């Protein structure tokens, strides 16, 4: 995988500074990050791994299969432990991580605990000769987490918007829905629109606002 391809793939896994434009193989991308020997990318591994794990294609075993040297496989394992340390710092739990934790040795668990303590106290976690900047490791993950929260909020808002549009479409005709929104937004209505609103739309609005009717509707949906 060429550098440009690697960076393009990383962007789709939430790593800052890169722009995605095509589908990727998440396992290959993780393997390439390990092979890169680039500490900057390794410090962002918790971000990359968290995003990669959202894909049903993600498989730690498949990542290992694409690593040739024993040293690379050990490095991948250390980066997974680093990621677990970061997640633990924020009290985050993922099904895929819980499954991986079952394979952790006592030494692995001890290292995760030690690195978590290092990160909390702004000390550098170290794997062999490789030392990571705690500020960068945590800063990159916090940036990812903030973006994820915002993305989830926008997704929820969009869902609510679509849900409202669907509900309105079940009650009002397109013209009635338009008048409903204009009235709600305080927009001026023409004389004809006012008459039509008062004659047709308002009656439906009054019915929708009826608390007893709303309660009965909820009961019917729960049956």
């Amino acid at each position: 995988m060429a550098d440009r391809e690697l960076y393009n793939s990383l962007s789709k896994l939430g790593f800052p500074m890169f722009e995605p434009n095509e589908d990727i193989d998440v396992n290959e991308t993780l393997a390439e990050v390990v092979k890169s020997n680039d500490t900057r990318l390794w410090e962002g591994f918790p971000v990359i791994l968290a995003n990669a794990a959202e894909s049903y294609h993600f498989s730690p075993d498949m990542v290992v299969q694409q690593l040739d040297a024993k040293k690379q496989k050990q490095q991948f394992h250390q980066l997974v432990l680093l990621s677990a340390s970061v997640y633990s710092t924020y009290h985050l739990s993922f099904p895929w991580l819980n499954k991986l934790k079952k394979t952790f040795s006592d030494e692995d668990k001890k290292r995760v605990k030690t690195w978590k303590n290092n990160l909390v106290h702004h000390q550098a976690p170290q794997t062999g000769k490789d030392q990571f900047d705690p500020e960068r490791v945590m800063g990159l993950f916090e940036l990812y987490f903030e973006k994820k929260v915002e993305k989830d909020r926008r997704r929820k808002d969009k869902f609510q918007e679509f849900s409202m549009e669907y509900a309105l479409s079940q009650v009002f005709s397109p013209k009635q829905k338009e008048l409903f929104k204009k009235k709600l937004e305080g927009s001026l209505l023409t004389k004809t629109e006012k008459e039509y609103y008062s004659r047709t739309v308002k009656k439906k609005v009054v019915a929708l606002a009826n608390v007893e009717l709303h309660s009965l509707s909820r009961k019917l949906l729960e049956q």
Side-chain angles (χ1 to χ4, degrees), residues 212-223:
E212 186 176 353
L213 178 60
H214 177 74
S215 178
L216 291 173
S217 298
R218 296 293 299 181
K219 287 182 178 179
L220 284 173
L221 290 174
E222 292 171 359
Q223 291 181 359

Side-chain angles (χ1 to χ4, degrees), residues 26-130:
V26 296
N27 299 308
E28 180 185 10
T29 300
L30 289 172
E32 290 295 328
V33 170
V34 176
K35 294 176 183 179
S36 72
N37 288 318
D38 188 332
T39 304
R40 296 177 308 153
L41 298 185
W42 287 355
E43 288 171 339
F45 198 82
V47 174
I48 301 166
L49 180 60
N51 277 286
E54 291 185 0
S55 168
Y56 68 90
H57 292 296
F58 170 66
S59 168
D61 291 338
M62 291 185 68
V63 176
V64 172
Q65 288 176 15
Q66 298 183 59
L67 299 173
D68 303 320
K70 181 179 179 181
K71 183 178 179 181
Q72 292 176 350
K73 296 177 182 179
Q74 291 175 336
Q75 186 61 59
F76 173 62
H77 185 64
Q78 296 302 310
L79 290 172
V80 169
L81 296 181
L82 174 65
S83 300
S85 304
V86 173
Y87 305 151
S88 179
T89 301
Y90 292 97
H91 307 289
L92 297 175
S93 177
F94 308 102
W96 60 269
L97 181 60
N98 294 334
K99 186 177 179 180
L100 266 179
K101 283 182 176 179
K102 293 179 180 179
T103 67
F104 287 0
S105 65
D106 290 340
E107 183 180 347
D108 291 337
K109 295 174 183 177
K110 183 178 179 180
R111 180 160 295 181
V112 168
K113 186 176 181 180
T114 298
W115 284 350
K116 174 186 176 181
N117 185 64
N118 290 151
L119 292 169
V120 168
H121 293 91
H122 308 288
Q123 298 171 353
Q126 187 166 341
T127 64
K129 296 180 180 179
D130 302 307

Side-chain angles (χ1 to χ4, degrees), residues 82-186:
L82 174 65
S83 300
S85 304
V86 173
Y87 305 151
S88 179
T89 301
Y90 292 97
H91 307 289
L92 297 175
S93 177
F94 308 102
W96 60 269
L97 181 60
N98 294 334
K99 186 177 179 180
L100 266 179
K101 283 182 176 179
K102 293 179 180 179
T103 67
F104 287 0
S105 65
D106 290 340
E107 183 180 347
D108 291 337
K109 295 174 183 177
K110 183 178 179 180
R111 180 160 295 181
V112 168
K113 186 176 181 180
T114 298
W115 284 350
K116 174 186 176 181
N117 185 64
N118 290 151
L119 292 169
V120 168
H121 293 91
H122 308 288
Q123 298 171 353
Q126 187 166 341
T127 64
K129 296 180 180 179
D130 302 307
Q131 183 168 295
F132 302 114
D133 180 349
E135 300 295 336
R136 181 170 168 78
V137 171
M138 299 298 281
L140 287 170
F141 189 76
E142 287 176 1
L143 177 61
Y144 150 76
F145 199 71
E146 289 172 3
K147 288 185 175 181
K148 180 172 174 54
V149 169
E150 176 61 21
K151 181 180 178 181
D152 290 344
R153 185 193 63 77
R154 289 198 304 268
R155 184 181 297 157
K156 181 180 179 181
D157 289 345
K158 182 61 67 175
F159 173 79
Q160 291 177 336
E161 179 183 337
F162 287 154
S163 179
M164 178 62 74
E165 285 293 326
Y166 176 77
L168 288 174
S169 297
Q170 302 305 300
V171 178
F172 301 109
S173 68
K175 178 61 178 177
Q176 292 171 350
K177 186 169 67 173
E178 180 184 346
L179 288 178
F180 176 86
K181 289 183 176 180
K182 289 181 70 174
K183 188 71 173 178
L184 191 64
E185 293 168 358

Side-chain angles (χ1 to χ4, degrees), residues 5-20:
E5 292 178 306
L6 172 59
Y7 291 155
N8 182 62
S9 296
L10 288 171
S11 67
K12 298 197 72 174
L13 295 183
F15 198 65
M17 302 180 293
F18 307 108
E19 291 296 329

